[in-house]
């Protein structure tokens, strides 16, 4: 007969805890059960007697333990293939989207960050920013404003590595430089000389001694002004004579430094260079190909207004200079004279007028472009490197 549980103090007597040996046995049984379940999740694939494939979770019969060719398998070689069920194959985990970026769907092109533009490709940047339509507008990308100690002029790139042409009088004071200022100083000097001669008399010779005192004071003040103005003009001229670096301004307003390469002694020409940049440039065309009434354009910065284009016709050649009715004003000096095809045929230099007013209507005069290429060895070397030759000036 089964024993009746005894009560102690009104409670049920606790069951005995399993011994450690029993616990280990139970754990081993659990592991074996899991392994058996894992084996049960496998499938056998083999051919039956008719040669058809059979997929089953049961081992094949003993008589089917042959290969599909009817040949017995070698001893120790597995005669059936055991593969996991297709639905139990582990697929790679889906890629986790990066933080802050949505996952890309199948077939979607992922936009990569754009490669930053090369800051030294001035030609590409200006072409991208302004998108020129006509050849003349494209030529304007190569035109710059040149700032020097004596004023402002124009210039333009003629090579892809930064060589630019301008007039000599833009970077060096011409003989008539500051003519108005020097004339004013000369007039002031005459006044001071006359005043000094008058004040050389004794004070008591003046009917009103107060006039003598006032004259002395005015003479001192004007003499000081004269000396300061003369010194300033001389310092400005001396600085212009030795200046080697010039500030230039591109079409988009960016300011850069250009070094003086060469100055022509025979012609009103100078050559500068912006180093380390790929620059837009205007290709030259010999002016001998021009014909009268041909359309031409003067590009520059007249009267301090940068990036200006004026149109006119080629009227002819005078004393080996090109003459056009395209307007050329102060500040246009050193800029290019171009054809409708955008080729440089000359360097705008001065304006011929019948009046003293520089703003009066007149004819523009330009130096033929072939003169510049014949004058400067750096330009000749660049042309030869490009396997191009410029005809000699006529």
């Amino acid at each position: 007969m089964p024993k009746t549980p005894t009560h102690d103090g009104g409670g049920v007597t606790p069951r005995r805890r399993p011994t450690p040996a029993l616990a280990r046995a139970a754990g081993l049984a659990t592991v074996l059960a899991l392994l058996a379940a894992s084996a049960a999740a496998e499938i056998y694939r083999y051919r039956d007697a008719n040669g058809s494939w059979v997929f089953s979770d049961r081992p094949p019969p003993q008589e089917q333990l042959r290969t599909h060719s009817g040949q017995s398998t070698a001893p120790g070689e597995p005669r059936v293939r055991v593969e996991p069920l297709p639905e139990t194959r582990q697929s790679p985990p889906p890629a986790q989207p990066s933080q802050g970026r949505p996952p890309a769907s199948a077939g979607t092109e992922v936009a990569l960050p754009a490669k930053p533009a090369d800051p030294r490709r001035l030609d590409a940047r200006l072409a991208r920013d302004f998108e020129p339509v006509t050849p003349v507008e494209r030529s304007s990308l190569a035109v710059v404003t040149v700032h020097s100690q004596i004023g402002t002029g124009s210039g333009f790139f003629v090579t892809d590595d930064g060589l630019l042409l301008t007039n000599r009088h833009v970077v060096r004071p011409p003989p008539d430089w500051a003519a108005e200022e020097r004339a004013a100083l000369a007039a002031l000097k005459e006044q001071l000389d006359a005043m000094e001669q008058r004040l050389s008399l004794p004070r008591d010779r003046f009917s009103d001694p107060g006039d003598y005192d006032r004259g002395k004071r005015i003479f001192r003040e004007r003499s000081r002004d004269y000396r300061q103005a003369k010194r300033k003009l001389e310092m400005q001229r001396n600085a212009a004579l030795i200046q080697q670096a010039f500030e230039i301004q591109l079409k988009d307003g960016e300011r850069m430094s250009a070094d003086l390469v060469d100055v022509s002694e025979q012609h009103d020409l100078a050559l500068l260079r912006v180093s380390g940049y790929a620059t837009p440039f205007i290709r030259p065309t010999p002016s001998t190909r021009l014909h009268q009434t041909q359309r031409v354009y003067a590009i520059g910065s007249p009267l301090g207004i940068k990036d200006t284009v004026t149109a006119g016709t080629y009227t002819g050649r005078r004393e080996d200079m090109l003459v056009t009715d395209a307007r050329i004003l102060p500040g246009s000096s050193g800029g290019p004279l171009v054809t409708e095809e955008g080729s440089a045929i000359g360097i705008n230099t001065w304006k011929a007028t019948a009046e003293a007013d520089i703003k009066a209507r007149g004819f523009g005069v330009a130096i033929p472009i072939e003169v510049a290429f014949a004058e400067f060895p750096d330009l000749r070397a660049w042309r030869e490197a490009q396997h191009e030759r410029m005809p000699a000036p006529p």
Side-chain angles (χ1 to χ4, degrees):
M1 255 182 98
K3 295 183 180 180
T4 303
T6 59
H7 295 268
D8 184 13
V12 179
T13 304
R15 297 180 179 177
R16 294 182 178 179
R17 294 183 179 179
T19 62
L22 291 177
R24 285 195 297 270
L28 181 58
T30 303
V31 172
L32 293 175
L34 291 175
L35 292 175
S38 176
E42 294 179 342
I43 186 170
Y44 294 93
R45 186 183 68 172
Y46 59 91
R47 290 183 184 274
D48 59 13
N50 299 322
S52 301
W53 283 103
V54 177
F55 296 85
S56 174
D57 58 352
R58 296 179 178 275
Q62 185 66 26
E63 62 271 13
Q64 297 294 335
L65 293 181
R66 295 179 178 271
T67 62
H68 64 276
S69 59
Q71 302 277 337
S72 298
T73 58
E77 181 182 354
R79 289 176 287 184
V80 294
R81 294 184 60 184
V82 180
E83 297 182 351
L85 288 172
E87 60 269 19
T88 63
R89 293 183 182 270
Q90 292 185 352
S91 58
Q96 297 295 327
S98 60
Q99 186 175 2
R101 182 181 300 174
S105 58
T108 302
E109 294 185 359
V110 180
L112 298 176
K115 184 179 180 180
D118 187 352
R120 296 192 174 273
R121 290 298 304 267
L122 300 181
D123 51 352
R125 190 190 77 197
L126 292 173
R128 181 183 65 249
D129 292 346
F130 290 95
E131 299 181 349
V133 177
T134 66
V136 175
E137 190 178 9
R138 177 169 291 278
S139 296
S140 71
L141 302 180
V143 181
V144 302
T145 303
V146 181
H147 301 275
S148 71
Q149 293 286 342
I150 56 177
T152 301
S154 302
F156 61 102
F157 291 109
V158 288
T159 69
D160 59 357
D161 59 354
L163 284 175
L164 66 94
L165 282 170
T166 187
N167 285 134
R168 180 182 60 199
H169 72 260
V170 173
V171 298
R172 290 289 184 260
D176 60 347
W177 174 74
E180 294 182 1
E181 291 83 351
R182 287 185 292 168
L185 285 175
L188 180 58
K189 183 67 167 61
E190 291 181 1
Q191 295 176 7
L192 290 173
D193 291 343
M195 186 178 296
E196 184 179 22
Q197 184 176 2
R198 183 185 178 192
L199 293 173
S200 63
L201 298 174
R203 185 173 184 272
D204 56 5
R205 295 286 299 272
F206 284 81
S207 59
D208 185 358
D211 291 342
Y212 177 86
D213 297 336
R214 284 191 296 272
K216 279 288 189 180
R217 185 179 68 254
I218 294 174
F219 177 78
R220 288 193 300 269
E221 292 174 354
R222 291 187 178 180
S223 295
R224 183 178 63 249
D225 294 341
Y226 170 78
R227 291 192 301 270
Q228 290 178 352
K230 183 180 179 181
R231 186 183 303 111
K232 181 179 179 180
L233 200 62
E234 291 176 350
M235 291 178 61
Q236 188 177 4
R237 182 177 183 275
N238 292 335
L241 288 173
I242 64 174
Q243 185 177 3
Q244 296 295 316
F246 300 85
E247 183 183 75
I248 67 167
Q249 191 172 5
L250 304 179
K251 183 180 177 76
D252 62 357
E254 181 180 352
R255 296 177 181 266
M256 310 181 71
S257 178
D259 297 322
L260 183 65
V261 177
D262 203 351
V263 177
S264 173
E265 296 182 0
Q266 183 179 359
H267 303 283
D268 192 357
L269 293 170
L271 187 66
L272 308 179
R273 182 192 289 277
V274 175
S275 300
Y277 290 88
T279 55
F281 68 101
I282 307 177
R283 289 193 174 277
T285 293
S287 63
T288 52
R289 300 179 185 176
L290 285 173
H291 56 80
Q292 285 183 316
T293 73
Q294 183 172 338
R295 197 72 168 165
V296 292
Y297 302 84
I299 311 176
S301 303
L303 305 177
I305 305 173
K306 74 178 186 69
D307 192 26
T308 300
V309 181
T310 58
T313 57
Y314 170 64
T315 64
R317 188 184 293 265
R318 300 292 185 274
E319 299 179 356
D320 296 331
M321 301 288 281
L322 309 180
V323 182
T324 175
D325 64 351
R327 289 182 65 85
I328 295 178
L329 296 171
S332 298
S333 297
L337 186 68
V338 303
T339 63
E340 283 188 308
E341 293 75 26
S343 299
I345 55 174
I347 302 97
N348 301 322
T349 302
W350 50 279
K351 182 175 69 172
T353 62
E355 306 175 17
D357 186 5
I358 59 176
K359 298 180 183 179
R361 188 72 176 176
F363 287 99
V365 180
I367 300 174
I369 191 67
E370 57 266 26
V371 172
F373 275 82
E375 182 70 11
F376 298 121
D378 294 75
L379 294 184
R380 293 199 303 270
W382 185 85
R383 292 286 288 183
E384 291 173 359
Q386 301 296 315
H387 304 289
E388 301 176 2
R389 291 187 178 275
M390 177 66 66

